[in-house]
């Protein structure tokens, strides 16, 4: 009985220790988890649960090359939407509209951290400072 | 030992529920009425079910579509508009699953009524169909007057679309299953994957039913 209690405590401490990563890890997780919730509320209806998009109507979010190439434009797209511009994503052409979003830079950062680190993408944290900087250069 | 008996009990109960859940026929929805006829001098009571009335619309190819175009077909109907930013993409992502499952079935169709006929003209609907990746005649995108479409929505037992300055149009995300006698046999929340799986299963049940029963 005593052994079980001790084993349980050791296991619990182990889990706590493993979940306490470095400071950057914590920051990433905060952005990512917040982004997951926001994605579900604001992006998922169109872009899909797995970022799969919809045929040739709505682009997928699984094209890592597109996301990396257009990294500085992503905040502008989320903030201002898309108005008929041609986008080449995953080898397909998309011409359509995406509505603008009225949300704070920190929430854009959360959404982008989630998208660029899900669906097979791995680009690290997008911070609200990154977003604030990129938004100044929107066309 | 007692634990084992409880587990076996639970499993058995579950299995019993499962087999009860296998429906052979689907319910018939809507208000019903009765009609008494005299056959061979005896009164015979007949049930009159809610049915989808006559209509006339135009599909994405510019062809006119009426209730006669659906003679002998089971179909699923929904209401949408191509510029819808909220629930339509998820509805049509789910409807695409239904389309792909039955696209080679001759007596099955999907009708998507636009509730924004001013914007969604025949060319706009055709472009949308192409981008969605649908072709052939198993999924029609239908345009008609707003009045006709809104009126028809009532017979599908869904609430008529509402207009609102911000959201533009507010409408139900329901898929409605209609049998060969134009009776509503099921309604499904088109935004939920699980409901769409239920719809696919029900279409199979309904097809089996109408293939074995003679139309009443």
């Amino acid at each position: 009985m005593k052994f079980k209690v001790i084993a349980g405590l050791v296991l619990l401490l182990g889990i706590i220790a493993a979940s306490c990563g470095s400071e950057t890890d914590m920051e990433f997780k905060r952005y990512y988890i917040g982004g997951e919730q926001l994605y579900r509320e604001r992006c998922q209806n169109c872009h899909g649960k797995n970022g799969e998009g919809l045929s040739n109507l709505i682009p997928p979010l699984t094209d890592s090359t597109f996301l990396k190439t257009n990294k500085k434009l992503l905040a502008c797209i989320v903030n201002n939407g898309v108005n008929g511009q041609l986008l080449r994503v995953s080898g397909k052409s998309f011409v359509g509209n995406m509505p603008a979003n009225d949300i704070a830079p920190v929430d854009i950062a959360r959404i982008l951290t989630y998208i660029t680190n899900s669906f097979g993408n791995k680009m690290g944290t997008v911070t609200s400072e990154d977003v604030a900087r990129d938004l100044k250069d929107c066309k | 030992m007692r634990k084992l008996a409880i587990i076996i009990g639970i499993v058995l109960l579950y299995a019993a529920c499962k087999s009860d859940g296998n429906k052979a026929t689907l319910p018939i929805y809507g208000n019903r009425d009765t009609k008494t006829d005299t056959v061979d001098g005896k009164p015979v009571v007949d049930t009159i079910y809610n049915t989808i009335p006559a209509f006339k619309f135009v599909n994405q190819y510019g062809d006119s579509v009426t209730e006669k175009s659906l003679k002998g077909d089971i179909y699923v109907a929904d209401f949408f508009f191509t510029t819808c930013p909220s629930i339509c993409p998820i509805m049509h992502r789910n409807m695409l699953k239904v389309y792909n499952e039955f696209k080679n079935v001759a007596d099955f169709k999907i009708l998507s009524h636009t509730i924004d006929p001013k914007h969604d003209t025949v060319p706009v609907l055709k472009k949308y169909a192409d981008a969605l990746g649908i072709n052939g005649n198993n999924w029609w995108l239908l345009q008609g007057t707003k009045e006709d479409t809104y009126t028809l929505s009532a017979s599908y037992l869904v609430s008529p679309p509402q207009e609102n300055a911000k959201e533009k149009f507010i409408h139900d995300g329901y898929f409605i299953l209609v049998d060969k006698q134009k009776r509503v046999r099921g309604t499904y929340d088109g935004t939920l994957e699980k409901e769409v799986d239920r719809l696919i299963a029900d279409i199979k049940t309904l097809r089996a039913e109408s293939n074995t029963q003679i139309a009443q």
Side-chain angles (χ1 to χ4, degrees), chain A residues 44-49 52-58 99, chain B residues 85-87 89-90 92-93 96 128 130-133 193:
Chain A
Q44 186 169 304
N45 269 347
C46 290
H47 289 286
K49 201 164 73 188
E52 72 271 31
L54 177 58
S55 303
N56 274 35
L57 282 170
I58 295 159
Chain B
S86 53
I87 59 171
I90 191 164
H92 281 178
R93 183 181 299 116
L96 210 49
Y128 180 87
D130 290 344
L132 192 61
E193 248 174 280

Side-chain angles (χ1 to χ4, degrees), chain A:
Chain A
M1 190 58 203
K2 206 171 170 188
F3 172 75
K4 268 191 186 169
V5 173
I6 291 166
L9 276 174
V10 168
L11 188 72
L12 195 68
L13 284 171
I15 290 167
I16 292 168
S19 60
C20 286
S22 61
E23 191 61 27
T24 37
D25 268 3
M26 289 296 283
E27 186 188 40
F28 172 78
K29 272 174 198 151
R30 271 203 303 271
Y31 274 106
Y32 187 88
I33 291 164
E36 187 175 21
Q37 168 83 14
L38 286 160
Y39 180 85
R40 215 178 299 137
E41 290 164 6
R42 311 193 70 118
C43 319
Q44 186 169 304
N45 269 347
C46 290
H47 289 286
K49 201 164 73 188
N50 304 307
E52 72 271 31
L54 177 58
S55 303
N56 274 35
L57 282 170
I58 295 159
L61 305 172
T62 50
D63 183 347
S64 297
T65 314
F66 177 91
L67 295 175
K68 276 181 198 144
T69 320
N70 296 288
K71 199 173 175 198
K72 293 202 169 307
L73 289 174
L74 299 178
C76 298
I77 294 176
V78 175
N79 196 54
N80 304 333
V82 174
N83 222 328
Q85 294 106 302
L86 172 81
L87 295 176
R88 286 284 300 172
V89 187
S90 295
K92 290 195 278 191
S93 298
F94 293 88
V95 186
N97 298 324
M98 168 175 151
N101 286 288
D102 185 20
I103 45 179
V106 62
D107 285 337
I108 296 178
R110 287 177 176 135
I111 289 170
L112 289 179
T113 300
Y114 178 71
I115 291 171
T116 58
N117 294 283
S118 302
F119 323 131
N121 307 313
K122 206 166 172 44
M123 288 166 59
T125 313
V126 178
T127 64
S128 41
E129 291 79 38
D130 294 333
V131 168
R133 190 193 57 230
D134 291 346
L135 283 179
K136 281 189 196 134
D137 299 329
C138 287
K139 279 171 212 153

Side-chain angles (χ1 to χ4, degrees), chain B residues 80-121:
Chain B
F80 85 115
F81 57 106
T82 61
T83 51
C84 165
S86 53
I87 59 171
C88 306
I90 191 164
M91 283 168 67
H92 281 178
R93 183 181 299 116
N94 285 333
M95 193 67 103
L96 210 49
K97 206 170 152 189
V98 180
Y99 169 78
N100 284 326
E101 181 84 26
F102 299 104
K103 67 177 166 190
N104 297 319
V105 171
D107 61 354
F108 175 77
K109 278 191 173 54
I110 299 167
L111 308 189
S112 289
H113 295 272
T114 176
I115 54 173
D116 184 12
K118 207 168 146 194
H119 177 272
D120 293 343
T121 56

